[in-house]
Amino acid sequence: MIDPINQPGSGPVAFGAFAFSYTSNYRSRLVIPEVVLGKDGALSWITITSDTLDTEQLTYDYALARCQELLDEAAYTGAPHGTISLQPGDLTAGSYLKASPRR
């Protein structure tokens, strides 16, 4: 790992979701993003995570180009913006209380 910035959040990070029930239909997982853009005050950085690139390939120009590629892939302009509404999950509030152990 090469981290010349040495600031909190400047190295590799992972986002996690954990299923706490053995009967859950969902699996626990950790996602390590390929690219993280960071900023702390006047200092900013790009973290690239890769197991296929040599360190000589991990340049500022490569990082900017890869960020642009990922932004272009993520951009979806095929539909107008909609609205978001929160809906109940698999358990109602009452069934959640019954399923949650009390200690």
Side-chain angles (χ1 to χ4, degrees):
M1 181 174 86
I2 301 168
D3 184 8
I5 304 297
N6 199 25
Q7 293 289 319
S10 66
V13 296
F15 299 96
F18 304 97
F20 293 101
S21 170
Y22 293 113
T23 61
S24 176
N25 292 328
Y26 302 98
R27 297 178 56 190
S28 299
R29 63 185 62 213
L30 288 174
V31 176
I32 300 171
E34 178 183 349
V35 176
V36 176
L37 303 175
K39 183 167 177 42
D40 184 13
L43 185 65
S44 58
W45 61 88
I46 301 171
T47 298
I48 301 283
T49 305
S50 174
D51 62 354
T52 60
L53 295 173
D54 292 327
T55 54
E56 295 83 33
Q57 293 175 282
L58 294 174
T59 64
Y60 179 74
D61 289 333
Y62 170 82
L64 287 179
R66 187 63 184 135
C67 285
Q68 189 59 58
E69 288 172 11
L70 291 170
L71 286 171
D72 290 344
E73 289 174 17
Y76 179 71
T77 58
H81 296 290
T83 59
I84 296 174
S85 62
L86 298 177
Q87 302 294 322
D90 290 339
L91 298 176
T92 65
S95 61
Y96 174 79
L97 291 174
K98 288 180 184 175
S100 300
R102 303 270 178 182
R103 297 194 192 248

